[in-house]
Amino acid sequence: MLSTIALRGASIVGGESLAGAGDTFYGFDPATGGRLDPEYHCASLDDLNRAAALAEEAFTTYGKLPGREKARSLRAIAAGIEAIVPELVERAHRETALPEARLKGESARTINQLRLFAQVVEEGSWVNARIDPAQPARTPLPRSDIRSMMRPLGPVAVFGASNFPLAFSVAGGDTAAAFAAGNPVLVKAHHAHPGTSEMVGQAIARAVKECGLPSGVFALLFGPGSQIGTALVDHPNVKAVGFTGSLAGGKALMERAAARPEPIPCFMEMSSVNPVFVLPEALRTRGAQIAGGLFGSFTLGVGQFCTKPGLVFLPRNADADALVAELKTQVEKAAVSPMLTEGIAKSYSSGVAARQAHGAVETLARAGVSDGAGSSCAVPVVMQIEGRDLLRDPKLAGEVFGPSTLVIRYENRDELMALARSLEGQLTATLHGTEADLAAFAGLVTVLERKAGRLIVNGFPTGVEVCHAMVHGGPYPATSDSRATSVGTYSIYRFVRPVCYQDFPQPALPDELKDENPLGIWRLVDGNWTREAVPAHS
Ligand code: NAP
């Protein structure tokens, strides 16, 4: 299919594509190594400054927009993306080598998450309105009238992720949450999918115009992280950062944000190895089935998921030997496929090689490589280590982004508990077990609750549902702030802060906090959740 969308190879500021003057680059097809037109122009620091000034100006109106109007704009963005799904999928497939079926699913997720946020802001109770009416007669001191609610932070910088060119990129979860909360968004496009980024950026700019919003509500900036990325994080108008990518990149940007004259909150999703624990009864009764599920999960999308299971804990017994044998058979037959970029493929092979070079690590199986495999291709590998060796060198448990996993064989329960306690922060931790297993290993669950944002029973960590209860977060280094999630509607709270209004006259209060509750939202009035108006003279 030939796309009918004109790509200009340009950043978008103030609703317009910029005429390019700066450095240039191209998108690449990782499957063929071929260059993809058009040529992309990097934004200049002047462009960025203008985008940030427009964003600040836009915030004065967008930050106060009623929920129903924000909902309208989120739905307009969703409809704009929905209208170009075939072109988007085609371009994203060429830029990332991800299968078209996966990209169609990712488009649907991107569109649906915008619509889900639209519902949340339209309903309105998410602002967490709290009202403690005045008590003038209280003794020994009267109480003032105290009301609070969540307000947006101001312009948010979003770094598009390489591994989700739609759902974690220009109109992805960070952007949807920031917009829903009432913040303008400045996106630093990922260089690995510039055409996809521009198509989505154009759809957002069109929706912004159609809804009559100030053009500064959105900007898309192309350029290297070392220039555009750092300048965005440094810019005084930027009030928060959303990022998905490497630990090194996320950490460098966090440090930068903390060193600003006015440090700002950063929500970085970085590095997780998503341990899987197979407990004895489950191992005995479903070992082969679990091996199949594990293989599917750690090779899904060429292992390029932040939730890829990278560590598998198995006892040293015959049931576990059978599971390992099944895993080996599947890995030997696995396909060798291109990764998102040549750089990511190189860092995968060097990560695997470093692990294999360790004397305590045994390579159990690797996929066979055919002659045609290009330099962006990744070979699925499964390795093994004894629990005691991992305890001696816990760095071996670090993330290797790509289709590999490490099996850890433990001798007994004490060793398993020590291994679990030695883990760093994770997005997920998975247990395969019967009810009896889970009762017998309740202590393991208690340890894992402190390690991970999401605990899964008898499933696999890849596949993150976008819903109200989802937590896609976890202690460092999984993320920079374990109190937050980057998936699901709860992620809106990353980009707001509570503001308290003391002794305000009724007309000066936001609608959410007025006595009569004109929006009909749920509020905590004097400690009780209610949708009723605040009683007179209460
Ligand atoms: P990345 O290198 O961290 O880059 C992500 C974004 O941040 C890019 O836009 C990049 O700009 C920018 N950036 C990176 N370091 C920066 C710095 N020091 N200062 C300013 N901006 C910076 O991630 P990636 O390109 O997606 O993949 C590289 C590696 O990250 C992978 O091999 C994998 O190990 C890891 N990764 C992990 C996850 C996960 O979910 N855990 C997801 C994706 C990637 P540029 O345009 O200059 O690159």
Side-chain angles (χ1 to χ4, degrees), residues 1 4-5 78-90 107 111 196 198-203 206:
M1 190 189 92
T4 51
I5 298 176
I81 296 173
E82 198 165 42
I84 57 164
V85 165
E87 289 95 334
L88 210 46
V89 166
E90 192 235 353
S107 311
I111 292 161
T196 312
E198 191 188 351
M199 281 183 187
V200 175
Q202 286 180 4
R206 277 194 298 272

Side-chain angles (χ1 to χ4, degrees), residues 162-163 188 190-191 225 243 245-246 249 252-253 270 306 347 399 401:
S162 60
N163 58 339
K188 147 72 174 92
H190 198 286
H191 65 268
F243 168 98
S246 65
L253 290 169
M270 300 175 290
C306 40
S347 95
E399 185 182 44
F401 190 71

Side-chain angles (χ1 to χ4, degrees), residues 316-509:
R316 172 66 62 212
N317 68 20
D319 294 329
D321 291 344
L323 186 153
V324 166
E326 177 60 30
L327 206 53
K328 280 166 67 172
T329 309
Q330 303 222 15
V331 169
E332 276 156 9
K333 292 187 293 193
V336 170
S337 311
M339 296 192 83
L340 294 159
T341 65
E342 208 175 299
I344 289 178
K346 272 194 192 132
S347 95
Y348 170 67
S349 2
S350 59
V352 169
R355 219 174 233 181
Q356 288 176 321
H358 194 284
V361 174
E362 175 193 358
T363 300
L364 292 173
R366 59 192 315 250
V369 186
S370 63
D371 287 346
S375 56
S376 292
C377 281
V379 180
V381 186
V382 57
M383 290 165 271
Q384 181 168 275
I385 188 170
E386 294 300 324
R388 59 177 175 275
D389 292 325
L390 188 60
L391 285 172
R392 261 185 231 120
D393 196 352
K395 278 205 257 348
L396 276 169
E399 185 182 44
V400 178
F401 190 71
S404 81
T405 198
L406 180 64
V407 172
I408 299 106
R409 304 298 291 268
Y410 60 86
E411 287 299 333
N412 52 44
R413 178 192 296 258
D414 286 351
E415 192 172 88
L416 176 65
M417 293 301 288
L419 285 160
R421 280 192 288 266
S422 75
L423 290 170
E424 295 188 301
Q426 305 291 338
L427 293 172
T428 72
T430 301
L431 295 138
H432 280 270
T434 60
E435 275 191 29
D437 280 329
L438 293 172
F441 285 82
L444 178 60
V445 176
T446 305
V447 172
L448 296 179
E449 276 171 346
R450 293 194 60 190
K451 299 286 179 184
R454 179 164 60 111
L455 305 185
I456 300 148
V457 167
N458 294 336
F460 294 94
T462 40
V464 183
E465 188 69 33
V466 181
C467 56
H468 304 293
M470 178 49 68
V471 176
H472 188 65
Y476 183 88
T479 77
S480 57
D481 190 334
S482 65
R483 295 164 297 177
T485 171
S486 59
V487 176
T489 56
Y490 198 69
S491 68
I492 197 170
Y493 293 107
R494 293 174 298 168
F495 303 124
V496 291
R497 64 188 178 86
V499 176
C500 183
Y501 302 81
Q502 187 165 328
D503 289 331
F504 266 47
Q506 286 290 314
L509 281 167

Side-chain angles (χ1 to χ4, degrees), residues 103-454:
L103 291 164
K104 278 186 193 147
E106 203 183 313
S107 311
R109 171 176 169 173
T110 308
I111 292 161
N112 291 341
Q113 77 191 357
L114 286 158
R115 290 183 174 146
L116 192 63
F117 275 110
Q119 272 174 25
V120 167
V121 295
E122 194 166 51
E123 192 280 331
S125 304
W126 74 274
V127 298
N128 197 5
R130 290 165 178 250
I131 300 176
D132 292 317
Q135 293 176 352
R138 190 180 70 171
T139 55
L141 288 172
R143 182 173 84 181
S144 286
D145 183 278
I146 298 175
R147 304 178 184 221
S148 67
M149 64 179 277
M150 294 296 177
R151 301 291 309 154
L153 296 176
V156 174
V158 168
F159 285 72
S162 60
N163 58 339
F164 276 85
L166 298 163
F168 277 89
S169 196
V170 179
D174 289 346
T175 299
F179 273 156
N183 305 287
V185 173
L186 302 154
V187 178
K188 147 72 174 92
H190 198 286
H191 65 268
H193 51 265
T196 312
S197 298
E198 191 188 351
M199 281 183 187
V200 175
Q202 286 180 4
I204 298 178
R206 277 194 298 272
V208 165
K209 198 167 180 181
E210 185 187 308
C211 294
L213 300 177
S215 65
V217 156
F218 171 73
L220 175 67
L221 299 162
F222 290 103
S226 54
Q227 288 166 27
I228 289 299
T230 49
L232 258 182
V233 171
D234 288 347
H235 201 286
N237 290 0
V238 169
K239 299 300 177 195
V241 182
F243 168 98
T244 304
S246 65
L247 179 56
K251 217 174 152 198
L253 290 169
M254 272 163 69
E255 282 163 7
R256 191 114 193 163
R260 290 169 36 132
E262 178 204 358
I264 50 170
C266 286
F267 300 95
M268 321 309 237
E269 193 212 305
M270 300 175 290
S271 169
S272 180
V273 287
N274 308 299
V276 175
F277 298 83
V278 188
L279 303 178
E281 270 195 17
L283 185 57
R284 194 163 58 243
T285 50
R286 295 192 290 111
Q289 192 193 338
I290 295 169
L294 260 175
F295 168 77
S297 187
F298 87 78
T299 55
L300 189 70
V302 205
Q304 299 166 115
F305 281 92
C306 40
T307 51
K308 179 205 78 170
L311 299 178
V312 183
F313 292 88
L314 298 175
R316 172 66 62 212
N317 68 20
D319 294 329
D321 291 344
L323 186 153
V324 166
E326 177 60 30
L327 206 53
K328 280 166 67 172
T329 309
Q330 303 222 15
V331 169
E332 276 156 9
K333 292 187 293 193
V336 170
S337 311
M339 296 192 83
L340 294 159
T341 65
E342 208 175 299
I344 289 178
K346 272 194 192 132
S347 95
Y348 170 67
S349 2
S350 59
V352 169
R355 219 174 233 181
Q356 288 176 321
H358 194 284
V361 174
E362 175 193 358
T363 300
L364 292 173
R366 59 192 315 250
V369 186
S370 63
D371 287 346
S375 56
S376 292
C377 281
V379 180
V381 186
V382 57
M383 290 165 271
Q384 181 168 275
I385 188 170
E386 294 300 324
R388 59 177 175 275
D389 292 325
L390 188 60
L391 285 172
R392 261 185 231 120
D393 196 352
K395 278 205 257 348
L396 276 169
E399 185 182 44
V400 178
F401 190 71
S404 81
T405 198
L406 180 64
V407 172
I408 299 106
R409 304 298 291 268
Y410 60 86
E411 287 299 333
N412 52 44
R413 178 192 296 258
D414 286 351
E415 192 172 88
L416 176 65
M417 293 301 288
L419 285 160
R421 280 192 288 266
S422 75
L423 290 170
E424 295 188 301
Q426 305 291 338
L427 293 172
T428 72
T430 301
L431 295 138
H432 280 270
T434 60
E435 275 191 29
D437 280 329
L438 293 172
F441 285 82
L444 178 60
V445 176
T446 305
V447 172
L448 296 179
E449 276 171 346
R450 293 194 60 190
K451 299 286 179 184
R454 179 164 60 111

